Amino acid sequence: MKVTVRAEPESGERLRTFRARKLKVTVERMKKHYLPILLIALASQCLAQQAPYSTRIDRNISIFNDVFRQLDISYTDTLNYDNLTESALNGMLREIDPYTVYVPESKEDDLKRMTTGKYGGIGALIMQRQDNDYICISDPYEGLPAQRNGVLAGDVILQVDGKDCKGMTTAEVSALLRGKAGTTVKLKLSRRQLADSLSTGKRQQKSKNNSIIYKEFIREEIKLPTVDYSAMLSPTMGYISFSEFTENSSRDFKYALDSLADLGCKSLIIDLRGNGGGLITEAISIVSLFVPKGIEVVSTKGKMLNSSRVYKTTTPPAYPDMPLYVLTDEHSASASEITCGALQDLNRATLIGKKTFGKGLVQNIRNVAYGGHLKVTTAKYYLPSGRCIQGTGIEPDITIDDSTKINICYELYRKNMFFDYATLYAQTHADYPKPNTYITTKSEIDTALIKDFEAFLEDKEFTYETETSKFFSDLLKIAEQEDLDSTIIAELHDTQSRLQTTAHNALWKNAADVQNFLEQEIVSRYYYQNGRTCIKLRQDPYLSALDFSK
């Protein structure tokens, strides 16, 4: 007989002990089996809160990869994947701001040039002419490889290292001329051989065939001077043209200023027109020459903690009391604006010219995959007064209107008449008087020079028509097509005839401007960029606000 025994309920104490044991076993089982699941669930919930951000990145990267893959599979022609990637990245970055850019490893030299101002090349400016399928040399830099090896302004570049340059752009030829310092460059040039007499009157044209010239020399590391030009413009007024804020540029600036001080400089013009900026540390060093040590020059504010900081002057000032005048224009940007804006805020300089560009964004270089770099905006600049440079620019204390009237010089310049005459002049004159740097020196009209230039223009069959006359010519055509009243058309014809002028009349009416452009080109053939700037400053409207008579 089978007997089933049923346990009776425990007493109170025994029951509590039993339940406690049962709870402990349950907890241990949960810790062993369910806690990992619970932690995973909690982690998933946290990740879910961030999912929109990470998912958006993953989603868009997947789209890009899939499009790239489909192109690789289906597109009819072979693709350059490196160029496509670079274009895609920079297209994306342009949506952010113009200064955040991707620099692949293949263009690392460009990055070096941005920060140091150095590149491997021959040291010459080039230009495109309307009357030639080839690029030509416009300005060899004095003392650099091209000039030292006899390359002249006006030389046409036919080949670089055996590669025909016909139809190439200036950027394409420039890329061929540049290369690693120490490498050999071979140039095939065409040079006009002119035997024209430069005596006044009708010329006997004796132009020979263009000669072919071969040049072979070594590329060097080119570091264009950050101080474009420095000189005394009067017995007490010094002038420094400063082109960019690259490594050690503040050292070059101080050297130029010290040299001017030795010549009697009591007040200084700092020309920052066209200076697009560069390294903030160089701007701080230049301001430190004129402002007491420890004074705030600029601050930066960004998203990351290390992007926000305050920059102060670093050394006791070498010239604490020197009156300063800073020239600015719409192309003065970034470190230029820090310099002029800080000097203005600290009441250390008078700004003359035009409102600056308004670039107050800080860029830093970040390394990316496969040797590339990302120049990325990380912060904004703020001047000592608290104003942000970005998008606002710096208003000058004295505004200058440098708008010039259009006259015959525009057409002469556009058609390279000044350039070609100066090239001819240099072939037939061994030297030219060195110009005086004082801008108080007034140039008298050199009638012999203008007459000879006019004879040159006649040989070139140069004709001149004012823009207004061109407009009336078009207006007459429309009037005749619309069959307007004959009286109106006759009046238009009469007005047009009175608007017409000869090249002779226009040339002599604007003789002062014509001579200034001629002298700039001619002097540059003998004294290069310094000579050109010296002549140009004589008619610089930005300097009209200053007194150079002292």
Side-chain angles (χ1 to χ4, degrees):
M1 178 178 177
K2 184 176 180 181
V3 178
T4 301
V5 179
R6 185 164 62 98
E8 295 293 329
E10 304 283 347
S11 64
E13 184 64 29
R14 291 173 63 88
L15 182 60
R16 284 193 295 273
T17 302
F18 173 78
R19 288 176 175 171
R21 288 176 180 170
K22 187 175 182 181
L23 178 62
K24 183 177 180 181
V25 171
T26 302
V27 169
E28 290 298 326
R29 290 178 63 192
M30 288 182 66
K31 286 172 65 178
K32 181 177 180 181
H33 298 287
Y34 301 110
L35 185 58
I37 298 174
L38 179 62
L39 290 174
I40 291 172
L42 289 172
S44 299
Q45 184 176 359
C46 292
L47 288 173
Q49 294 175 356
Q50 299 179 357
Y53 174 75
S54 59
T55 300
R56 285 198 303 270
I57 293 178
D58 292 341
R59 178 175 178 272
N60 286 286
I61 289 175
S62 296
I63 292 171
F64 180 85
N65 289 339
D66 197 33
V67 170
F68 213 67
R69 191 163 42 247
Q70 292 297 335
L71 282 173
D72 180 42
I73 295 169
S74 306
Y75 192 74
T76 181
D77 293 325
T78 303
L79 299 172
N80 187 320
Y81 300 113
D82 291 341
N83 287 349
L84 283 175
T85 302
E86 184 179 348
S87 298
L89 288 172
N90 283 322
M92 172 184 68
L93 298 176
R94 276 194 295 272
E95 293 293 317
I96 302 172
D97 68 51
Y99 316 110
T100 297
V101 295
Y102 167 67
V103 183
E105 185 180 23
S106 61
K107 294 184 179 178
E108 195 167 7
D109 287 345
D110 294 341
L111 185 67
K112 180 181 178 183
R113 189 167 64 254
M114 290 179 201
T115 55
T116 67
K118 299 176 182 177
Y119 65 94
I122 68 171
L125 296 178
I126 58 177
M127 72 175 187
Q128 176 75 64
R129 294 180 59 112
Q130 293 181 343
D131 58 354
N132 202 314
D133 291 332
Y134 290 91
I135 302 298
C136 81
I137 301 289
S138 61
D139 275 293
Y141 283 97
E142 185 175 14
L144 295 185
Q147 185 267 330
R148 292 202 317 267
N149 287 278
V151 176
L152 303 178
D155 287 350
V156 176
I157 305 172
L158 301 179
Q159 293 181 4
V160 177
D161 291 333
K163 188 166 186 177
D164 188 3
C165 297
K166 185 175 182 179
M168 287 189 178
T169 64
T170 53
E172 290 169 335
V173 173
S174 179
L176 293 178
L177 293 173
R178 288 178 178 172
K180 189 174 181 180
T183 59
T184 299
V185 60
K186 298 178 181 179
L187 302 180
K188 181 181 178 181
L189 306 171
S190 173
R191 180 175 299 171
R192 297 176 66 189
Q193 296 297 303
L194 301 173
D196 299 45
S197 167
L198 282 179
S199 59
T200 303
K202 185 65 178 175
R203 299 164 185 266
Q204 296 298 318
Q205 191 73 17
K206 299 177 182 178
S207 300
K208 300 178 182 178
N209 292 330
N210 292 358
S211 61
I212 302 300
I213 298 171
Y214 294 89
K215 298 287 183 181
E216 181 176 342
F217 51 93
I218 303 298
R219 292 184 179 92
E220 296 178 12
E221 185 174 73
I222 305 299
K223 175 66 170 73
L224 298 181
T226 53
V227 174
D228 290 316
Y229 181 76
S230 64
M232 295 296 294
L233 301 188
S234 78
T236 59
M237 179 76 79
Y239 171 90
I240 295 177
S241 176
F242 195 64
S243 63
E244 57 185 355
F245 292 79
T246 51
E247 286 181 359
N248 301 317
S249 58
S250 59
R251 178 192 63 191
D252 298 337
F253 181 94
K254 186 177 186 303
Y255 177 81
L257 179 52
D258 291 344
S259 299
L260 293 177
D262 291 341
L263 296 174
C265 177
K266 303 300 181 185
S267 56
L268 178 67
I269 301 168
I270 305 173
D271 195 341
L272 295 180
R273 290 176 293 180
N275 187 318
L279 302 178
I280 186 174
T281 51
E282 299 299 312
I284 304 301
S285 296
I286 289 177
V287 175
S288 297
L289 293 171
F290 308 106
V291 175
K293 182 179 179 181
I295 300 297
E296 180 179 334
V297 176
V298 69
S299 61
T300 61
K301 297 177 183 178
K303 181 168 64 177
M304 299 177 67
L305 185 62
N306 61 0
S307 297
S308 300
R309 59 176 297 186
V310 176
Y311 294 85
K312 298 181 178 181
T313 49
T314 55
T315 58
Y319 300 92
D321 302 315
M322 177 177 281
L324 301 175
Y325 306 93
V326 183
L327 309 184
T328 65
D329 66 7
E330 63 274 25
H331 304 294
S332 306
S334 188
S336 292
E337 295 173 289
I338 292 171
T339 302
C340 69
L343 291 174
Q344 185 184 58
D345 276 5
L346 300 171
N347 296 314
R348 273 301 284 119
T350 300
L351 271 55
I352 301 173
K354 292 184 177 181
K355 182 179 178 180
T356 61
F357 182 80
K359 179 185 179 294
L361 301 177
V362 185
Q363 277 79 48
N364 283 310
I365 308 298
R366 300 282 190 257
N367 296 331
V368 296
Y370 296 99
H373 305 274
L374 179 67
K375 185 162 77 77
V376 58
T377 298
T378 58
K380 292 181 179 180
Y381 289 124
Y382 294 84
L383 293 173
S385 62
R387 53 180 170 160
C388 180
I389 299 171
Q390 178 59 24
T392 63
I394 310 295
E395 292 283 356
D397 301 300
I398 301 174
T399 301
I400 300 296
D401 180 10
D402 64 345
S403 56
T404 57
K405 294 181 179 179
I406 298 175
N407 58 34
I408 191 173
C409 290
Y410 171 78
E411 198 70 9
L412 292 170
Y413 184 86
R414 188 179 70 85
K415 293 184 177 179
N416 299 302
M417 294 295 106
F418 295 126
F419 185 89
D420 290 345
Y421 181 84
T423 301
L424 169 63
Y425 190 102
Q427 287 187 14
T428 53
H429 292 74
D431 53 31
Y432 189 84
K434 189 171 184 177
N436 192 323
T437 64
Y438 284 6
I439 67 168
T440 50
T441 303
K442 300 299 182 183
S443 296
E444 299 295 332
I445 298 299
D446 186 341
T447 55
L449 179 66
I450 303 297
K451 286 181 179 179
D452 196 69
F453 181 56
E454 185 173 17
F456 170 82
L457 295 178
E458 289 176 3
D459 287 343
K460 290 284 189 178
E461 298 181 349
F462 173 81
T463 58
Y464 177 62
E465 183 181 8
T466 65
E467 293 300 314
T468 308
S469 179
K470 292 177 184 177
F471 170 79
F472 263 86
S473 296
D474 294 337
L475 186 63
L476 272 168
K477 291 178 182 177
I478 296 173
E480 290 168 352
Q481 288 174 354
E482 291 185 340
D483 196 24
L484 294 183
D485 187 273
S486 59
T487 304
I488 296 175
I489 293 177
E491 289 175 355
L492 289 175
H493 273 293
D494 181 61
T495 302
Q496 184 194 30
S497 64
R498 285 185 280 120
L499 289 171
Q500 289 176 344
T501 184
T502 63
H504 170 82
N505 291 340
L507 192 71
W508 288 97
K509 179 183 177 182
N510 300 283
D513 288 342
V514 170
Q515 180 167 315
N516 185 267
F517 280 106
L518 272 178
E519 287 185 326
Q520 285 184 48
E521 282 297 334
I522 293 171
V523 167
S524 72
R525 298 298 190 272
Y526 301 87
Y527 305 104
Y528 303 95
Q529 286 75 23
N530 281 349
R532 185 192 296 275
T533 303
C534 181
I535 299 297
K536 190 175 181 180
L537 287 174
R538 292 180 183 174
Q539 293 189 358
D540 193 329
Y542 280 64
L543 302 181
S544 62
L546 299 173
D547 182 7
F548 293 94
S549 61
K550 299 177 182 179

